[in-house]
Amino acid sequence: MSDITLISGSTLGGAEYVAEHVEEKLKEADFSTELFHGPELYELPTSGIWLVVCSTHGAGELPDNLQPLLEQIEDQQPDLSNVRFGAIGLGSSEYDTFCGAIRLLDQKLTDLGAKRIGDLLEIDVTQHEIPEDPAEVWALNWINLLR
């Protein structure tokens, strides 16, 4: 079993790149990882540490590759009280639904008993041409919270 399960949801690939970059930083800090791009609920452990990286598209919606996971979470209402998690969202502040997808996931996980570690990171892609940069700064701080 890995130390950290990374879950990415992406429409155009930005969140995938961020997840892969953060995964590198976690490995450099001697954490074992497993990365899922759009997993099904049954693939995820119901204990341990998750890191969710998700972009927002449309009117604050989840990317298509994470929509099935959200539906499964809503249908099955799993007990996630043994899950601790971090959350990174990507979005554009040009929309009033800025980072709506990660906010929704953050709330769903919390409602099911998961406990967030640290602050939710919301990356405004209009301010950060390379979203991996603010994600790396956040990840290095998050790693310190894990120790």
Side-chain angles (χ1 to χ4, degrees):
M1 184 165 123
S2 60
D3 293 325
I4 301 171
T5 302
L6 291 98
I7 301 162
S8 79
S10 191
T11 301
L12 301 175
E16 286 183 15
Y17 296 137
V18 168
E20 290 166 358
H21 185 73
V22 170
E23 181 182 33
E24 287 177 27
K25 297 303 161 192
L26 291 166
K27 287 181 176 179
E28 288 171 9
D30 294 325
F31 287 97
S32 64
T33 63
E34 187 167 12
L35 175 58
F36 293 94
H37 297 299
E40 301 280 328
L41 182 59
Y42 74 87
E43 296 177 283
L44 301 174
T46 55
S47 64
I49 300 171
W50 293 3
L51 177 56
V52 183
V53 182
C54 180
S55 63
T56 297
H57 80 102
E61 295 154 5
L62 268 68
D64 289 343
N65 73 333
L66 268 192
Q67 195 61 44
L69 176 62
L70 176 64
E71 291 168 5
Q72 293 162 10
I73 286 172
E74 290 175 334
D75 290 346
Q76 298 176 29
Q77 297 288 306
D79 175 9
L80 299 180
S81 59
N82 292 316
V83 171
R84 296 184 307 144
F85 72 99
I88 300 173
L90 285 78
S92 169
S93 62
E94 295 174 347
Y95 296 93
D96 59 357
T97 56
F98 173 66
C99 284
I102 197 64
R103 292 176 186 173
L104 173 64
L105 288 171
D106 179 71
Q107 187 61 55
K108 292 286 182 190
L109 296 177
T110 302
D111 288 348
L112 294 171
K115 294 159 195 69
R116 183 163 27 90
I117 303 166
D119 293 329
L120 171 71
L121 174 63
E122 296 179 347
I123 300 171
D124 184 352
V125 296
T126 68
Q127 302 296 314
H128 299 281
E129 187 175 324
I130 303 173
E132 291 89 337
D133 290 345
E136 180 174 330
V137 171
W138 179 92
L140 295 175
N141 289 324
W142 195 66
I143 288 168
N144 288 330
L145 295 174
L146 297 176
R147 293 197 165 150

